[in-house]
Amino acid sequence: DVKVTQSSRYLVKRTGEKVFLECVQDMDHENMFWYRQDPGLGLRLIYFSYDVKMKEKGDIPEGYSVSREKKERFSLILESASTNQTSMYLCASSLWEYTEAFFGQGTRLTVV
Amino acid sequence: QQPVQSPQAVILREGEDAVINCSSSKALYSVHWYRQKHGEAPVFLMILLKGGEQKGHDKISASFNEKKQQSSLYLTASQLSYSGTYFCGTITQGGSEKLVFGKGMKLTVNP
């Protein structure tokens, strides 16, 4: 079975903390994505990576950065967490642009 | 830029049909359809790549118009298991491989 694994299902962090969300895929996929899901807003793309060390901004990159040092791992970094970053974060990966994307189970982040 | 989905929500009785629309202001390379049940990750349904394409399995099918700016997902004779939120994802022609999703359509199927 293909797998996209996110390191935590639930996280609670304090305002101002640096937060790392980790995502690992075991399918040798080229593309990896980070989305944020909020009620009524759908899945919004934060960042996209198409190769190791290659990244592109999505629709809402402000307040976030990413790291992809190895093909299988894509990290989302909140440099200084704020309460408006409380959300569900979903990681996904795909082999190519014309193949399906596989999603992780999500990380519910609460910033207090 | 997010594709536009309509309607935003639908309530059906078992056996009824539904259509979900997805449109973009730009020509698309591909359209992806996913369903997400509450508390779960989105699950892939199908991808359409060619203008004029239609594809489907069981009682769920989709079309992609000739101009490659609109797609529709057709749910026929709905079952209780069809309940969930349906998302279309799009990749724009001539750009990067960014997969951008719409706001989703919440489908509730009642007995």
Side-chain angles (χ1 to χ4, degrees):
Chain A
D1 263 1
V2 297
K3 266 202 170 167
V4 178
T5 304
Q6 295 184 229
S7 52
S8 307
R9 289 297 302 271
Y10 301 94
L11 271 180
V12 179
K13 296 292 181 180
R14 294 196 178 276
T15 302
E17 276 192 79
K18 191 168 185 176
V19 181
F20 293 85
L21 303 183
E22 307 286 347
C23 175
V24 177
Q25 51 95 1
D26 65 359
M27 298 164 282
D28 202 33
H29 281 175
E30 301 294 322
N31 299 326
M32 295 188 76
F33 309 84
W34 274 107
Y35 296 94
R36 170 176 172 163
Q37 184 170 23
D38 300 287
L41 297 179
L43 298 165
R44 292 184 291 168
L45 182 64
I46 305 172
Y47 266 98
F48 160 61
S49 170
Y50 53 92
D51 201 351
V52 174
K53 299 192 178 181
M54 305 305 287
K55 62 186 180 186
E56 281 190 34
K57 292 180 181 180
D59 292 334
I60 52 165
E62 298 79 18
Y64 304 93
S65 62
V66 290
S67 172
R68 193 170 180 199
E69 296 295 319
K70 293 185 178 181
K71 192 174 186 180
E72 66 271 18
R73 187 180 296 270
F74 193 33
S75 303
L76 181 69
I77 303 155
L78 287 66
E79 295 289 341
S80 177
S82 64
T83 54
N84 62 13
Q85 292 178 307
T86 291
S87 186
M88 172 66 82
Y89 291 87
L90 286 164
C91 175
S93 73
S94 68
L95 182 58
W96 306 117
E97 69 274 22
Y98 50 83
T99 58
E100 69 178 283
F102 294 86
F103 283 83
Q105 284 299 105
T107 296
R108 170 78 60 188
L109 173 67
T110 302
V111 182
V112 298
Chain B
Q1 188 175 9
Q2 284 186 295
V4 177
Q5 286 188 241
S6 64
Q8 293 181 340
V10 171
I11 299 174
L12 298 176
R13 289 199 178 276
E14 255 186 308
E16 293 182 332
D17 301 341
V19 179
I20 308 166
N21 298 305
C22 176
S23 64
S24 170
S25 58
K26 298 181 179 181
L28 300 170
Y29 175 82
S30 61
V31 175
H32 304 223
W33 286 98
Y34 290 78
R35 177 173 60 209
Q36 184 181 33
K37 293 185 178 288
H38 183 69
E40 298 180 8
V43 172
F44 172 77
L45 294 175
M46 63 188 81
I47 291 177
L48 297 102
L49 295 171
K50 299 177 185 176
E53 183 177 10
Q54 294 191 31
K55 64 176 11 177
H57 53 85
D58 292 331
K59 294 176 182 174
I60 300 176
S61 62
S63 64
F64 197 8
N65 77 339
E66 289 288 346
K67 285 189 175 181
K68 299 185 75 174
Q69 287 185 260
Q70 290 186 322
S71 178
S72 296
L73 186 72
Y74 306 94
L75 306 173
T76 306
S78 58
Q79 306 166 16
L80 296 177
S81 62
Y82 286 5
S83 292
T85 300
Y86 290 78
F87 292 99
C88 73
T90 58
I91 296 177
T92 306
Q93 276 186 8
S96 76
E97 297 172 22
K98 284 191 283 189
L99 177 60
V100 180
F101 286 90
K103 293 184 178 181
M105 192 282 278
K106 184 174 181 181
L107 176 67
T108 304
V109 182
N110 292 321

